[in-house]
Amino acid sequence: MVIVMAPEATREDIETIVEVITAAGGSAFVSRGVNRTIIGLVGDVAQFGALNLRSMRGVADVMRVTAPYKLVSRDNHPERSTVRVGGVPIGPGTVTLIAGPCAVETPQQTLEAAEMAKAAGATLLRGGAYKPRTSPYAFQGLGEEGLRILADVRTATGLPIVTEVVDAHDVDLVASYADMLQIGTRNAQNFALLQAVGGVGKPVMLKRGMNATIEEWLMAAEYIAQRGNLDIVLCERGIRTFETATRNTLDVSAVPVAQRLSHLPVIVDPSHSGGRRDLVLPLTRAAIAVGSDGVIIDVHPHPEQALCDGPQALVNGDLRELARVMRQLPPLLGKSAVGDALASA
Ligand code: PEP
Ligand code: MN
């Protein structure tokens, strides 16, 4: 941490700060310039935070030099992590395809979507039983009945399941069915929910809040990590901008930026960011090109009948084309493994 003193700060102001820091167990290094004095602090930053340094007399600015998120930061964990979901790795050296319906609607629709996903080389099945819809009149998901359908489809296909939880009270229930819990963009800063999923012992996919900075996203991940769960996969799913041609704007730079700041795997959701079927393939290409550790894709056997997000759902042929791109691009970029299922599909 660095304190920049105001030009008018007095010798006493500086001495007071040094005393306060020393009393808190830290060390203060004073560097006097011609116009300004800078004080470098060494010690427990969390403890300094409680000192309210910014409001002390003579202080112009207080700057952190280390990341405010500790557990998910790469500072103390330089190696990038791999998260395993029901045995399926997500992380460096591989590219994981997660696919499935936006929402679980019927056993038949979920099974057909899962079979499509598996045939294309997906190794994880996505599907929402609890849907956080913008409108209260829109389909809200089947709830526990949807979880039961997902579990049956996992038995039938062998694909581990990723499903969203929207309420802290449902975390234990959803975790009893799911292999990975998804936190959606609308709940990405619901801190009670983040803490609840942090304590339940299942891997978590944390979508980026549509209005969240990368730092806020990583701080949200820190809430989960702080409860002892470091099996977190970050998912860039587009952010709110002034652009209306797409549902959200995929922030491709967030992938390498987040991977540089955090050791956690980072994947991309091209379906929810663009919100349009014709954009899913180009955005997947972009995601893989910037080093995404995987993608999560909406598929539906009959998109025109979908109860949720039909316009972005891929059908069989589109998904196979997308999987072909996911096989061909990574080796060109020096990524060797694309996962056995994808390689042999
Ligand atoms: C979803 O993946 O089903 C979903 C609702 O995504 P998001 O939270 O990114 O909108
Ligand atoms: Mn959706």
Side-chain angles (χ1 to χ4, degrees):
M1 218 172 208
V2 174
I3 301 176
V4 180
M5 301 302 290
E8 65 277 10
T10 64
R11 182 173 289 273
E12 273 167 7
D13 293 339
I14 295 166
E15 279 169 10
T16 306
I17 287 170
V18 172
E19 276 164 27
V20 166
I21 295 299
T22 312
S27 310
F29 298 90
V30 179
S31 166
R32 289 175 209 278
V34 180
N35 298 316
R36 293 216 178 206
T37 295
I38 287 173
I39 309 176
L41 309 189
V42 177
D44 181 358
V45 174
Q47 217 172 340
F48 297 152
L51 298 176
N52 210 355
L53 297 166
R54 217 173 274 275
S55 62
M56 288 183 70
R57 215 177 58 190
V59 171
D61 203 1
V62 179
M63 292 176 287
R64 301 185 71 108
V65 289
T66 52
Y69 39 86
K70 298 284 167 225
L71 301 169
V72 307
S73 163
R74 239 175 133 166
D75 288 349
N76 305 317
H77 192 304
E79 294 293 308
R80 298 196 54 231
S81 298
T82 293
V83 171
R84 288 184 180 275
V85 183
V88 175
I90 307 177
T94 188
V95 183
T96 305
L97 174 56
I98 306 170
C102 178
V104 174
E105 298 166 11
T106 65
Q108 180 66 16
Q109 165 258 6
T110 308
L111 182 63
E112 281 182 41
E115 282 171 343
M116 239 158 80
K118 186 172 180 179
T123 44
L124 295 170
L125 173 66
R126 64 146 291 145
Y130 296 86
K131 297 304 301 176
R133 305 303 297 279
T134 303
S135 164
Y137 304 113
F139 177 58
Q140 303 288 313
L142 297 179
E144 189 171 2
E145 172 59 14
L147 297 175
R148 279 195 285 269
I149 293 172
L150 282 170
D152 288 347
V153 171
R154 171 177 51 203
T155 305
T157 61
L159 293 176
I161 52 187
V162 182
T163 194
E164 181 163 352
V165 55
V166 299
D167 187 321
H169 296 109
D170 295 331
V171 167
D172 287 336
L173 175 71
V174 178
S176 71
Y177 289 92
D179 298 285
M180 178 178 232
L181 300 171
Q182 177 174 325
I183 300 290
T185 192
R186 291 162 189 81
N187 268 312
Q189 285 187 303
N190 178 339
F191 302 119
L193 181 61
L194 296 174
Q195 286 172 330
V197 297
V200 84
K202 284 276 165 93
V204 177
M205 180 198 299
L206 175 62
K207 297 251 188 138
R208 178 180 179 183
M210 65 181 91
N211 301 312
T213 64
I214 293 172
E215 181 167 303
E216 286 165 341
W217 186 20
L218 296 179
M219 291 300 272
E222 190 79 3
Y223 267 93
I224 301 170
Q226 217 198 16
R227 290 292 164 114
N229 186 356
L230 269 168
D231 286 332
I232 307 164
V233 173
L234 301 169
C235 179
E236 160 61 39
R237 52 77 68 208
I239 52 174
R240 275 255 160 101
T241 67
F242 52 81
E243 182 54 71
T244 55
T246 51
R247 180 149 83 181
N248 291 113
T249 299
L250 178 63
D251 180 6
V252 281
S253 57
V255 175
V257 170
Q259 286 174 342
R260 200 151 299 168
L261 294 172
S262 171
H263 58 88
L264 300 177
V266 183
I267 66 166
V268 166
D269 183 340
S271 304
H272 287 85
S273 45
R276 285 170 33 184
R277 185 173 306 125
D278 62 321
L279 295 178
V280 176
L281 183 57
L283 295 181
T284 297
R285 285 198 196 103
I288 303 297
V290 290
S292 178
D293 298 309
V295 287
I296 177 165
I297 305 289
D298 276 11
V299 302
H300 199 289
H302 309 287
E304 67 290 351
Q305 293 166 17
L307 297 180
C308 184
D309 286 348
Q312 73 200 27
L314 297 192
V315 290
N316 213 353
D318 302 333
L319 185 66
R320 286 182 173 275
E321 170 64 5
L322 182 137
R324 192 180 62 77
V325 165
M326 287 185 65
R327 271 193 298 276
Q328 292 179 344
L329 258 185
L332 297 177
L333 302 162
K335 260 197 172 182
S336 48
V338 288
D340 294 343
L342 199 53
S344 60

